[in-house]
Amino acid sequence: MPLGRPVNEASGARALREHFRRRHGREPRFAHAPGRVNLIGEHTDYNDGFALPVAIDLWTSVAFAPREEARWLVRSESFAIGVEGAPGDQVELRPDEGPRVHWSDYPTGVLRMLLETGVRVPGATLEFASDVPAGAGLSSSAALEVATANALLALAGEERDGAEIALLCQRAENEFVGMRCGIMDQLVSCLGRAGEAMLLDCRTRAVRFVPLPTGVDLVIVSSMVRHALAAGEYNARRSECEEAARILAEEAGRDASRPPSLRDATLADVEHSRSRMTDRVFRRARHVVTENERVLETVEALAVGDLERVGGAMARSHASLRDDFEVSCRELDSLVEIASSEPGVVGARMTGGGFGGCTVNLVRSASTRSFCEAVCERQAAATGQAPDLWVTSAVSGARVE
Ligand code: GLA
């Protein structure tokens, strides 16, 4: 059974250390940043809304050491993102040039943002390794950005708090890579806490930690559909939300000094303005405002141990992402349908940006093994391909050693 337990972080780092020593003949330091899964609150972050992500036990690590000359050389056996070069090729970061459509665009973007904000980053050699699967909706990009930022700041001898690092990484992705992502992934990769989910208010960026229920496992199942080309669709959703927010702000006569945001709207507002929107824009707005409510409902339900209510909110979230926001796909829908009929499942939904990627499942521990077996078998029968899955846990965010 392809029960993909994550590679143990310590052993991954040990291999990276040995590799670095052999190749570069010196002792490196390390930065580690985790991937994330979002329990609920999807496509709400760039609408100033609420989200409930968890940092997970899948990591991007970078071994690094300064160089004499002012050049930044990066290498990775793990990454095969991009059209240029092969895994294992050494690449020089060129922060004064544009993106190359290569995994090194993420470190380059981070380096450029640091240099722009006046951080004097010395030349360095960086070797990356990662067990966060790329294109699977588990924030491999954020983990790569955050690990890079921590390494480059350590090289420069500077300290920044997690929220500042997250914002800088988000800017790198928005402005350099060209993906207009929100702040959720980078923030939880920086600030996540072991055993807890992070309630994030994306308007104020305030976070509150919510303990995960005991006796329940966090199981991530891959649709095996990579969302490699999803940036265009993602950016389009974001524009549709902006249009809805503009219409609603006009309708409410809100003053124009603050950018319009769906955070300010209720479901009644959205319904009231329906005739002024295209059907598509209306449904995008309905998803966002109802999803915000579902996040708060989930947090309340977790606080009192009402797992049935948690599961209900997750099911409605999935339906809304499928029907109103239109970011699910056949393979994700099939996984959620299968999970919902398996014993011991508290809740299941797609997670992350969508167009492929993974589902997040809360499963009572006693049922986890049979759940994993059943999902593999039934999804293979439904789609012709058995999924990868990870039984994972909530970990603390990024660190440097
Ligand atoms: C991607 C983005 C996040 C967020 C999610 C959807 O993961 O990077 O900022 O918008 O999609 O919730």
Side-chain angles (χ1 to χ4, degrees):
M1 181 175 68
L3 181 62
R5 285 220 54 109
V7 177
N8 173 297
E9 186 207 349
S11 71
R14 203 173 309 125
L16 190 56
R17 181 188 301 276
E18 274 153 27
H19 186 78
F20 195 98
R21 275 193 194 133
R22 234 188 359 261
R23 192 166 242 280
H24 306 289
R26 55 186 304 180
E27 196 60 34
R29 292 184 67 196
F30 286 92
H32 307 282
R36 68 96 188 90
V37 73
N38 190 16
L39 278 190
I40 194 159
E42 223 63 83
H43 291 274
T44 46
D45 62 350
Y46 54 82
N47 289 299
D48 286 345
F50 298 104
L52 192 61
V54 176
I56 54 174
D57 199 11
L58 292 171
W59 296 84
T60 294
S61 297
V62 53
F64 60 94
R67 296 178 69 83
E68 297 293 312
E69 40 174 7
R71 294 170 75 199
W72 299 277
L73 299 181
V74 301
R75 236 188 116 259
S76 171
E77 300 283 347
S78 306
F79 298 127
I81 317 169
V83 292
E84 190 195 273
D89 283 355
Q90 179 161 278
V91 182
E92 178 163 1
L93 304 187
R94 297 189 187 279
D96 44 348
E97 292 176 11
R100 301 163 172 169
V101 196
H102 185 261
W103 69 266
S104 62
D105 289 345
Y106 296 92
T108 307
V110 169
L111 173 62
R112 180 190 285 190
M113 296 306 145
L114 284 169
L115 295 172
E116 273 180 19
T117 52
V119 177
R120 297 157 80 106
V121 184
T125 306
L126 302 104
E127 286 264 352
F128 290 88
S130 182
D131 56 19
V132 189
L138 301 177
S139 291
S140 57
S141 327
L144 177 51
E145 291 153 9
V146 171
T148 304
N150 276 300
L152 297 180
L153 282 165
L155 282 159
E158 295 225 18
E159 284 197 12
R160 293 281 188 283
D161 67 31
E164 270 180 275
I165 293 175
L167 275 171
L168 183 126
C169 292
Q170 183 200 17
R171 266 188 61 211
E173 191 156 343
N174 288 176
E175 294 172 24
F176 189 77
V177 179
M179 164 82 173
R180 298 180 65 208
C181 63
I183 190 66
M184 167 172 74
D185 305 345
Q186 292 82 1
L187 256 187
V188 74
S189 183
C190 289
L191 302 179
R193 276 202 202 157
E196 298 184 316
M198 187 177 92
L199 171 62
L200 166 61
D201 177 339
C202 301
R203 169 163 271 171
T204 60
R205 275 182 238 112
V207 300
R208 174 151 73 83
F209 289 90
V210 179
L212 289 168
T214 49
V216 172
D217 286 333
L218 201 52
V219 186
I220 297 168
V221 187
S222 172
S223 66
M224 308 305 278
V225 180
R226 281 173 61 100
H227 67 183
L229 299 171
E233 286 288 339
Y234 182 94
N235 291 348
R237 294 299 180 286
R238 196 166 167 159
S239 304
E240 288 157 2
C241 290
E242 282 163 3
E243 188 181 336
R246 215 168 26 244
I247 294 171
L248 288 161
E250 254 173 49
E251 185 80 20
R254 216 162 271 132
D255 85 83
S257 60
R258 192 162 80 179
S261 160
L262 286 178
R263 170 66 176 274
D264 298 314
T266 63
L267 182 56
D269 296 334
V270 175
E271 272 163 359
H272 180 76
S273 298
R274 185 171 192 161
S275 62
R276 298 191 55 197
M277 300 175 189
T278 62
D279 180 56
R280 179 188 295 180
V281 168
F282 165 73
R283 285 183 293 113
R284 305 300 190 241
R286 180 166 63 185
H287 165 73
V288 173
V289 299
T290 56
E291 186 77 350
N292 280 333
E293 286 168 10
R294 286 186 288 268
V295 175
L296 299 178
E297 181 184 348
T298 302
V299 170
E300 255 176 56
L302 283 171
V304 295
D306 186 348
L307 296 186
E308 206 170 307
R309 204 155 160 231
V310 172
M314 289 174 78
R316 280 180 281 120
S317 168
H318 184 80
S320 178
L321 287 158
R322 181 191 60 209
D323 302 334
D324 274 355
F325 219 69
E326 295 178 287
V327 290
S328 188
C329 63
R330 188 174 67 88
E331 292 80 357
L332 287 169
D333 294 342
S334 163
L335 283 175
V336 169
E337 202 182 305
I338 292 169
S340 312
S341 69
E342 283 297 319
V345 173
V346 169
R349 56 179 286 277
M350 58 154 282
T351 186
F355 312 103
C358 292
T359 61
V360 56
N361 304 266
L362 292 176
V363 185
R364 292 187 197 276
S365 306
S367 302
T368 297
R369 179 149 282 273
S370 61
F371 169 81
C372 293
E373 282 165 0
V375 169
C376 282
E377 208 171 286
R378 291 178 63 188
Q379 180 76 346
T383 66
Q385 198 178 11
D388 290 340
L389 35 91
W390 296 264
V391 181
T392 187
S393 51
V395 297
S396 299
R399 59 173 206 281
V400 183
E401 57 186 54

